[in-house]
Amino acid sequence: MHMSPQSPTASFDEIAAFTSVATQGSFAEAARRLDVDPSLLSRRVRRLEERLNVRLFARTTRKVTLTEAGERYLSRVAELMEQLEAAGREAAELSATPQGVLRVSLPISFGQRVVAPMIADFVRRYPKIRLDLSFTNRRVDLVAEGFDLSIRAGVPRDSTLTMRRLASYREVLLASPDYLSAHGQPQNPDDLADHACLGFTGNAFWPEWRLTDGVDKYAFRPHGPIQSDSSEAVLAAAISGAGIILAPEWLAADALRSQKVMPVLPGWQGMIDGAIFGLLPPGRMTPAKVKVFLDHLTEKIARQV
């Protein structure tokens, strides 16, 4: 059959008909899935073949198979069809009221100290969302474990996941008033060698402390009576007067406000570019329930961190 060349720009209906037949391997099954008459589906595929001036299917009385040209065309348009469907889902999601179960993984200290107090305002604002919060310092597999979102505090790592930075924070040196009264206030970083320094082994640069005053940099290995993989334990030890800690401001915010700890070497801070960030599964549109939760955290955290 001679095919007269037409414009190669195909209609959405023609491409949808082609991809459905290619996927189902049958005009009848594809027509059933699309809820159209098989003869209409056949006409759409034929028009597409005429536009492209090429056979896309090899037809027999028993089955329909793709030609080489059909396979190549399918590899191109399948991705486009997925993008169109995703765009439609995103538009529908954004127009809908945020609702459903939102499963979130949070680090223990940051989640309990910073995020948990923000939850009541969120659920009042979005009563159709039900939060399922999991507190763990383990880096979860969002897809395999069924999480919609993971909130992390620390140094962002390269990841195949979609990342949204919510806030930044710095690390500061702190000690209790009792400790400073008994041992004196360090005047420069070299003085830290003469003090009890409490180590959090989860620090990105451990076993070193790396400090900066914005111009100069200073690195050394702290020595002291306590080190721990629990930032909460190290903070509690500092509050009780055991020594000096290097801690993120968000961790020590309450203790600073109540003057249970005081700044040490206030002109110096940790060199870590600390961040609070949200991790989302790769290659997906952000559901409305996730978007509004991230927006809420960004707004609230910015006032505290």
Side-chain angles (χ1 to χ4, degrees):
M1 179 180 74
H2 175 71
M3 296 184 182
S4 302
Q6 298 183 24
S7 166
T9 303
S11 70
F12 177 82
D13 285 343
E14 290 168 357
I15 296 175
F18 164 74
T19 55
S20 183
V21 174
T23 302
Q24 301 302 323
S26 161
F27 277 86
E29 180 60 21
R32 189 184 69 80
R33 292 291 183 95
L34 294 176
D35 194 24
V36 298
D37 187 87
S39 62
L40 176 60
L41 200 67
S42 180
R43 286 197 298 273
R44 288 174 178 172
V45 171
R46 187 167 60 250
R47 282 201 303 268
L48 179 60
E49 290 178 320
E50 290 171 353
R51 285 183 193 281
L52 303 177
N53 197 31
V54 68
R55 289 277 191 186
L56 298 174
F57 292 109
R59 302 167 176 82
T60 68
T61 55
R62 296 191 172 210
K63 64 178 181 177
V64 177
T65 58
L66 286 166
T67 62
E68 181 181 357
E71 289 178 352
R72 291 187 178 184
Y73 189 67
L74 179 64
S75 69
R76 293 281 188 172
V77 300
E79 183 178 351
L80 295 176
M81 291 296 291
E82 288 177 3
Q83 291 177 353
L84 285 171
E85 290 176 2
R89 288 195 299 270
E90 180 185 27
E93 187 76 44
L94 289 174
S95 65
T97 300
Q99 58 188 294
V101 176
L102 176 59
R103 294 199 68 220
V104 184
S105 171
L106 306 107
I108 296 172
S109 291
F110 182 80
Q112 293 178 348
R113 282 183 175 269
V114 180
V115 177
M118 302 174 179
I119 297 304
D121 283 346
F122 179 79
V123 294
R124 280 194 292 266
R125 189 173 181 182
Y126 299 100
K128 293 188 177 181
I129 295 178
R130 185 165 65 85
L131 291 173
D132 182 352
L133 306 178
S134 175
F135 294 87
T136 176
N137 290 332
R138 178 178 59 84
R139 291 185 176 272
V140 300
D141 185 325
L142 294 182
V143 177
E145 297 180 51
F147 285 101
D148 299 294
L149 173 68
S150 175
I151 303 297
R152 295 287 110 186
V155 180
R157 302 177 182 178
D158 291 337
S159 174
T160 58
L161 301 176
T162 301
M163 183 183 299
R164 174 171 163 180
R165 192 174 184 123
L166 307 181
S168 299
Y169 66 86
R170 61 179 190 156
E171 290 187 324
V172 292
L173 292 161
L174 304 165
S176 72
D178 287 345
Y179 176 87
L180 294 175
S181 176
H183 300 278
Q185 173 76 257
Q187 299 303 305
N188 59 67
D190 286 333
D191 293 343
L192 292 171
D194 298 323
H195 283 268
C197 297
L198 313 180
F200 170 51
T201 59
N203 183 286
F205 296 130
W206 185 259
E208 289 187 330
W209 280 0
R210 297 185 187 180
L211 308 174
T212 180
D213 63 357
V215 177
D216 295 325
K217 297 177 181 178
Y218 185 85
F220 81 111
R221 290 200 170 199
H223 296 282
I226 300 170
Q227 72 176 40
S228 174
D229 61 359
S230 167
S231 58
E232 294 283 355
V234 175
L235 174 62
I239 291 172
S240 68
I244 297 172
I245 61 169
L246 178 64
E249 284 182 306
W250 58 261
L251 178 68
D254 290 340
L256 276 165
R257 278 192 292 269
S258 61
Q259 298 187 334
K260 292 179 180 178
V261 292
M262 306 292 290
V264 173
L265 294 176
W268 291 81
Q269 66 185 55
M271 286 177 56
I272 287 177
D273 178 21
I276 312 300
F277 50 97
L279 294 175
L280 296 86
R284 298 181 184 178
M285 298 295 181
T286 305
K289 61 184 179 181
V290 174
K291 182 180 183 302
V292 295
F293 187 71
L294 287 173
D295 289 345
H296 181 80
L297 293 189
T298 301
E299 175 189 348
K300 297 288 187 179
I301 291 172
R303 300 175 185 174
Q304 297 186 24
V305 176

